[in-house]
Amino acid sequence: MKRLSALFWSLLFLAVPVLGVATFAVAPAYDIWLPKDVSEHGPAVDGLFYFILWLTGAVFIATEGVLFWFIWKYDESKSNGGVKYVHGSHTLEVVWTIIPAAVLLFISIYQMNTWADVKMRRPDMAPTVEVIGRQFEWRLRYPGKDGMLGTPDDLHLVNDLHLPIDEDVLIQLKSMDVLHSFFLPNVRIKQDAVPGMKIPVWFKAREEGVFDIVCAELCGWGHYKMKGRVTFETRESFDRWLEQKYAEQEATQPADSESAAVAKLSPASLLARR
Amino acid sequence: MSTADTTAAGIEHGTHVSETAAHPQPSPSKGSLSTFLSTYVFSKDHKVIGLQFLFSTLLWFLVGGLLALAVRWQVAWPWSDVPVLGKLFAQQGGQMSPEFYTMLFTMHATVMIFLVIIPVLAGAFGNFLIPLMIGADDMAFPTLNMLSYWFMWPAFAAFSASFFVEGGAASSGWTSYPTLATNVNAAPGSGWGQTLWLVGLTFVGVSSMLGSVNYMTTIILMRAPGMTMFRLPMTIWAMFITAVLQAFALPVLTAAGFMQLFDRTLGTGFFTPEGNIVNNAVATAGGGQPLLWQHLFWFYSHPAVYIMILPAMGMVSDILTCFARKPLFGYRPMVYSVAGIAGLGFIVWGHHMFMSGMNPALGVTFMVSTMMIALPSAVKTFNWLGTIWGGKIQFTTSMLFALSFVSMFIIGGLSGIFMAATPVDIFIHDTYFIVAHFHYVLFAGTAMGVWAAIYFWFPKMFGRTMNEFWGKVHFFLTFIFLNGTFFTMHILGAVGFPRRLADAYHYETFHHLQPLNAFMTYCAIGMVATQIIFAVNFFWSMFFGPVAGRNPWNANTLEWTAPSPPGHGNFDYQPVVYRGPYEYSVPGVEQDHLMQTDPPHPAAAAAAAAAH
Ligand code: HEM
Ligand SMILES: [Cu+2]
Ligand SMILES: [Cu+2]
């Protein structure tokens, strides 16, 4: 009876690594896994994810396995000699301090380059577009014909971001009111938008397609619906789209009433002009 | 080894034990209301205060659990009628509004962190155990101790009241990031609700600080003769270091809380940048920085996550040794790793801010320190495994919870490494991966450790043991349901499923995740329902459980030499300590345990010498 209960409990602890690994193994089959990636730096990020997954997975299986084994082997109803009267082992302590320390240090150094690529090595170029978070939408501002932001010919849009593929794009990220976070799951990009700060975000998309822009930082009651879409397209079709949107804006705002229109455009553009 | 048997040498290290007469027992002959009040309500006895904390935190645990179920309901079946709770907060005919959802998760986390986890560890177990385990008759400052409990109620009142004020409860998350939290126009809950939240937080802070001062002083000054620092049980070491963490980190949060309060009420602009426009209203003050709050908040709240687990680690260490009938593996490394976690804990706060707009170069230094803090956690895990290796495991309910603490902490520690890797954090920050991580350390870790401790010290608290059969049923179901609820969060996070969204299914990326979320909600409901078993067992056993003697588990530490439950002043004789707390199964000793107070034993001295 006692033996049986020991068996039962040790199997319960064995279920942790077994079901744990199984969960991760079947998840991709149900598409509950990393979403499609279309960015240039994405493979490095995902690669690091997999590297850590394998590594921690091995440690997970080993430690949980040992835990199961000890629970199974050393239960009191099994008369396998006396209890080992030991207070520790200096050698073991050194070994299991040095090895994880080395591994953790390795992971630290190994990842730095990717981090620097995504967040520190900003391309030397003018912003492609300005993205401004506002409860609960993404305001977009493309430089007009003069190629400069903050001039009267800027193109203003909401939630419908278009970007060219196969070249670096630089986004100037701002927020008008509260924190937001500009999250492109399919580009492995996330950056908080902070009121009072202009934060550069850059990447290169490799594939055409339409994807989600998610707000990932709580910004109020409507946070859940602060959704945008990003369209990646070739340079030619991007230019064509820009041309067309620009024409649409001109049509609704005659050039002479430009300043009036901007003033009417609510505080977003006001702030943008500062 | 410090655990060796010594005689007089150790005794000299012992320090002053205060007189029991210093706070005499209220004489029952008066039999008046004031006697009742001073014995059971405004008691200064550490055991009564500890139990007051325990009952209160269990009550608030229930509140926090129900809030969690409401959150889970919305995530699984957005905009459908909420059973029971929906009627309570009758809005739009039982359906939850998105702003109410933001209040729910804010208050769930607030209640769980500030009213449950922190006070149940330090307030309930710290209070009950510290004097008993070091051989003192009470805390150093009994009045402060009483106040530390009574400061919790204004906090609870403020948090509860906030649901009923205009605009409703705070709704900017337990992290309360400005400018959402500071600008009254930013959210309904950013009005009175947020102010009350800050008031409540301040009360909790005062309570923690009073406790912390008391614990440090008591542990340093009131140890029994012979109880050197390196003969303290791990529980006490963990409580001590936790108190130090509180004392150094808390003032920063308190100051930051006041700054936020002033931003909201006096028009200062510590956290509001120039020209901030919320909801078409231009902020009157400016010149501040929203990121400043994040730095100050996490400077406290990262150490606080260790405040929320170190005592559980300590208690689990003691329980594992007792039910493995074996000395703790690597006592000193265990102490040093707790100290290491505490020290490193002060320089890793920036890992919550990798995506915040903080200088990415600074992020690199925080990344390295964060990676390094996984090291002492790993060392502790290996030593726990070493402790049960070669032991004689008794499958009590308490032991099962303690073993599951180890098993679950491994998961929480390993998931920390993903997030510490900055490039990976780009993708998983603010997703369910983080939610999985902290529920593995806080619920599957700390809460399971607390249950282990409740089953273990219940006999000392009430003189009776809890029912083992129902205890195991409680353990089994909790264990299954918790993994069903939280393990799946990792893979949700791998899709990038964001936290704090009232409804994420309109995103193309996440629209297929509803069935998984429904599964998790079923498990969560099961998990909360299982606690009924615990509650019944707890209260039933208090009155009808089998009577326990002084030492039902044959454990070594001092509290087991006192009567169960101990009377006022704790010990019926002055305990004198001769050895460390983990002398189980000493060769040559008839009994399989040698209590810290057992007189020197020749065989034990020989065994200790041989162990060198
Ligand atoms: C192995 C050690 C650990 C490492 C390396 C680690 C790492 C991290 C990192 C990097 C984050 C930030 C993730 C993000 O927001 O993107 C985080 C979040 C968190 N961690 Fe840990 N952690 C560890 C242990 C713990 C422990 C022991 C606890 C609590 C007992 C804890 C509680 C939390 C909480 C509550 C959060 C989320 C706070 C929030 O955003 O609401 N962690 N952890
Ligand atoms: Cu948002
Ligand atoms: Cu942290």
Side-chain angles (χ1 to χ4, degrees):
Chain A
M1 186 58 206
K2 271 208 151 164
R3 218 40 219 123
L4 219 63
S5 90
L7 178 69
F8 178 78
W9 295 121
S10 42
L11 285 181
L12 183 69
F13 283 96
L14 181 63
V16 173
V18 171
L19 294 178
V21 171
T23 307
F24 275 82
V26 302
Y30 291 90
D31 204 19
I32 306 179
W33 200 240
L34 301 177
K36 179 182 165 94
D37 162 63
V38 298
S39 68
E40 193 188 48
H41 67 271
V45 171
D46 292 0
L48 199 59
F49 177 86
Y50 280 109
F51 172 69
I52 297 177
L53 184 65
W54 282 108
L55 199 97
T56 53
V59 176
F60 174 61
I61 295 170
T63 46
E64 299 282 1
V66 167
L67 182 65
F68 151 74
W69 178 244
F70 287 174
I71 294 174
W72 164 240
K73 181 135 190 273
Y74 298 113
D75 98 83
E76 95 183 302
S77 55
K78 218 173 187 177
S79 50
N80 43 9
V83 170
K84 291 188 173 66
Y85 178 72
V86 283
H87 288 93
S89 150
H90 191 70
T91 324
L92 273 178
E93 300 290 347
V94 172
V95 169
W96 66 41
T97 306
I98 302 276
I99 293 178
V103 172
L104 290 167
L105 205 62
F106 173 75
I107 306 177
S108 309
I109 295 167
Y110 178 68
Q111 61 173 291
M112 283 183 190
N113 198 36
T114 310
W115 176 249
D117 275 343
V118 185
K119 296 276 180 181
M120 290 163 76
R121 296 183 186 131
R122 166 188 185 171
D124 185 19
M125 61 189 286
T128 319
V129 59
E130 185 175 70
V131 175
I132 307 164
R134 176 182 191 266
Q135 287 179 331
F136 299 100
E137 63 195 17
W138 298 101
R139 299 226 165 169
L140 313 171
R141 198 157 66 126
Y142 286 91
K145 300 235 157 60
D146 59 1
M148 290 207 314
L149 281 169
T151 50
D153 69 340
D154 289 351
L155 170 66
H156 295 269
L157 291 165
V158 176
N159 288 342
D160 181 25
L161 180 64
H162 283 239
L163 289 170
I165 59 168
D166 295 329
E167 60 183 271
D168 279 327
V169 294
L170 180 66
I171 295 171
Q172 180 166 305
L173 186 62
K174 301 207 294 198
S175 167
M176 224 183 81
D177 41 25
V178 298
L179 296 178
H180 302 277
S181 192
F182 183 70
F183 179 25
L184 301 178
N186 307 87
V187 189
R188 308 295 189 259
I189 279 289
K190 187 178 288 134
Q191 176 60 57
D192 288 4
V194 185
M197 288 176 80
K198 275 187 208 165
I199 303 174
V201 175
W202 60 89
F203 56 85
K204 192 191 272 186
R206 291 175 293 131
E207 249 180 70
E208 293 176 70
V210 186
F211 303 99
D212 284 327
I213 304 174
V214 181
C215 180
E217 181 68 60
L218 178 63
C219 57
W221 69 267
H223 171 50
Y224 73 98
K225 59 172 189 172
M226 186 161 163
K227 167 182 168 178
R229 298 285 278 172
V230 55
T231 307
F232 294 119
E233 52 197 345
T234 58
R235 188 40 141 164
E236 302 82 74
S237 86
F238 172 68
D239 283 340
R240 237 179 296 127
W241 173 83
L242 214 55
E243 199 71 39
Q244 183 203 336
K245 286 289 166 191
Y246 197 71
E248 281 172 22
Q249 178 168 298
E250 293 287 88
T252 49
Q253 303 173 13
D256 51 317
S257 66
E258 172 88 39
S259 45
V262 170
K264 220 174 54 200
L265 249 175
S266 90
S269 44
L270 276 180
L271 182 69
R273 291 185 68 107
R274 291 161 53 92
Chain B
M1 266 266 166
S2 61
T3 47
D5 256 51
T6 55
T7 48
I11 297 176
E12 275 152 26
H13 293 277
T15 33
H16 159 82
V17 178
S18 72
E19 287 297 312
T20 314
H23 26 90
Q25 196 158 12
S27 95
S29 59
K30 279 185 197 147
S32 64
L33 180 69
S34 77
T35 315
F36 173 79
L37 283 180
S38 65
T39 314
Y40 296 108
V41 183
F42 298 105
S43 169
K44 295 180 185 174
D45 185 312
H46 74 98
K47 298 179 293 298
V48 177
I49 299 171
L51 292 182
Q52 286 173 326
F53 264 111
L54 183 63
F55 285 118
S56 313
T57 48
L58 287 178
L59 177 76
W60 296 329
F61 198 18
L62 176 70
V63 174
L66 293 177
L67 290 170
L69 285 191
V71 171
R72 278 307 320 168
W73 187 274
Q74 170 73 10
V75 177
W77 303 286
W79 321 125
S80 65
D81 286 2
V82 189
V84 195
L85 274 177
K87 295 252 163 23
L88 222 66
F89 284 92
Q91 297 182 333
Q92 302 158 27
Q95 177 189 325
M96 179 184 302
S97 65
E99 54 270 32
F100 190 62
Y101 174 77
T102 58
M103 291 165 199
L104 281 176
F105 67 69
T106 300
M107 297 315 285
H108 160 66
T110 302
V111 168
M112 287 304 196
I113 290 171
F114 296 113
L115 295 182
V116 178
I117 298 284
I118 294 179
V120 80
L121 292 174
F125 284 99
N127 251 313
F128 189 84
L129 294 177
I130 289 173
L132 279 169
M133 290 181 98
I134 66 172
D137 60 341
D138 205 323
M139 285 283 182
F141 309 115
T143 311
L144 290 190
N145 208 16
M146 174 192 77
L147 286 176
S148 90
Y149 173 69
W150 286 105
F151 267 104
M152 292 304 289
W153 282 102
F156 180 67
F159 291 147
S160 315
S162 71
F163 274 100
F164 304 99
V165 296
E166 195 194 329
S171 57
S172 47
W174 80 282
T175 48
S176 280
Y177 283 178
T179 50
L180 182 61
T182 45
N183 194 309
V184 187
N185 298 309
S190 293
W192 268 104
Q194 184 66 25
T195 303
L196 282 171
W197 187 86
L198 288 163
V199 169
L201 190 72
T202 309
F203 279 113
V204 172
V206 173
S207 162
S208 291
M209 195 47 115
L210 293 174
S212 147
V213 170
N214 223 338
Y215 304 156
M216 286 191 288
T217 315
T218 307
I219 295 173
I220 291 174
L221 292 181
M222 294 177 65
R223 282 169 287 126
M227 182 63 97
T228 59
M229 284 306 270
F230 280 100
R231 284 178 180 174
L232 287 175
M234 284 312 296
T235 301
I236 302 303
W237 263 113
M239 296 285 180
F240 180 64
I241 290 173
T242 301
V244 175
L245 277 178
Q246 282 280 28
F248 284 93
L250 196 58
V252 176
L253 180 75
T254 311
F258 275 110
M259 287 160 80
Q260 188 174 123
L261 203 60
F262 294 158
D263 267 14
R264 301 172 44 75
T265 53
L266 304 182
T268 57
F270 295 112
F271 307 123
T272 310
E274 204 55 44
N276 196 229
I277 304 166
V278 180
N279 225 336
N280 291 329
V282 183
T284 45
Q289 225 315 348
L291 290 193
L292 175 61
W293 167 265
Q294 298 186 24
H295 281 292
L296 297 175
F297 179 84
W298 289 115
F299 184 86
Y300 168 76
S301 292
H302 184 83
V305 306
Y306 291 105
I307 290 168
M308 292 184 252
I309 202 166
L310 294 182
M313 289 177 161
M315 296 190 294
V316 162
S317 305
D318 288 356
I319 294 167
L320 285 178
T321 53
C322 176
F323 292 121
R325 312 308 296 164
K326 219 189 129 224
L328 183 69
F329 201 88
Y331 174 81
R332 284 198 182 233
M334 284 299 230
V335 174
Y336 298 148
S337 54
V338 175
I341 288 176
L344 282 170
F346 275 108
I347 54 165
V348 299
W349 79 88
H351 64 215
H352 297 276
M353 299 173 63
F354 288 147
M355 303 307 134
S356 68
M358 173 181 81
N359 184 344
L362 185 54
V364 174
T365 62
F366 281 122
M367 175 271 287
V368 176
S369 57
T370 303
M371 284 288 175
M372 285 306 129
I373 209 168
L375 189 59
S377 311
V379 169
K380 292 199 79 73
T381 306
F382 296 142
N383 280 298
W384 285 320
L385 292 175
T387 300
I388 59 170
W389 162 72
K392 216 173 186 185
I393 297 173
Q394 300 171 350
F395 291 97
T396 56
T397 307
S398 177
M399 182 61 162
L400 289 170
F401 274 109
L403 289 170
S404 80
F405 175 95
V406 178
S407 171
M408 301 288 100
F409 179 71
I410 292 173
I411 299 178
L414 291 176
S415 64
I417 296 175
F418 287 80
M419 305 179 308
T422 43
V424 179
D425 195 53
I426 295 174
F427 183 67
I428 59 179
H429 171 68
D430 262 330
T431 67
Y432 263 74
F433 200 91
I434 275 83
V435 183
H437 164 70
F438 63 71
H439 282 96
Y440 265 93
V441 279
L442 289 178
F443 188 90
T446 302
M448 298 297 262
V450 166
W451 274 309
I454 289 178
Y455 284 93
F456 189 68
W457 278 292
F458 190 92
K460 191 51 63 186
M461 293 171 169
F462 303 107
R464 293 169 186 274
T465 36
M466 286 179 75
N467 183 291
E468 277 290 311
F469 175 79
W470 288 107
K472 283 173 185 165
V473 173
H474 168 223
F475 164 75
F476 178 75
L477 293 176
T478 305
F479 189 77
I480 299 284
F481 284 133
L482 98 86
N483 282 294
T485 310
F486 298 125
F487 199 83
T488 35
M489 287 183 179
H490 292 108
I491 54 173
L492 266 190
V495 194
F497 195 76
R499 63 195 279 203
R500 296 174 169 173
L501 258 59
D503 173 8
Y505 306 119
H506 59 96
Y507 284 107
E508 186 187 310
T509 320
F510 313 122
H511 73 98
H512 61 299
L513 298 173
Q514 192 275 336
L516 182 62
N517 273 302
F519 168 78
M520 292 154 69
T521 298
Y522 285 127
C523 290
I525 294 171
M527 189 160 72
V528 173
T530 300
Q531 305 320 313
I532 296 171
I533 301 174
F534 168 70
V536 172
N537 190 353
F538 187 93
F539 288 108
W540 191 87
S541 304
M542 251 173 84
F543 301 104
F544 309 109
V547 174
R550 289 187 180 219
N551 192 0
W553 313 118
N554 293 326
N556 280 344
T557 39
L558 293 188
E559 75 275 28
W560 303 108
T561 63
S564 301
H568 197 74
N570 294 341
F571 297 94
D572 32 18
Y573 61 93
Q574 171 62 56
V576 176
V577 175
Y578 295 98
R579 60 182 66 75
Y582 301 118
E583 294 306 292
Y584 291 102
S585 308
V586 184
V589 178
E590 325 65 58
Q591 272 189 319
D592 74 343
H593 66 120
L594 260 182
M595 298 189 72
Q596 289 192 277
T597 49
D598 284 342
H601 192 291
H612 274 282

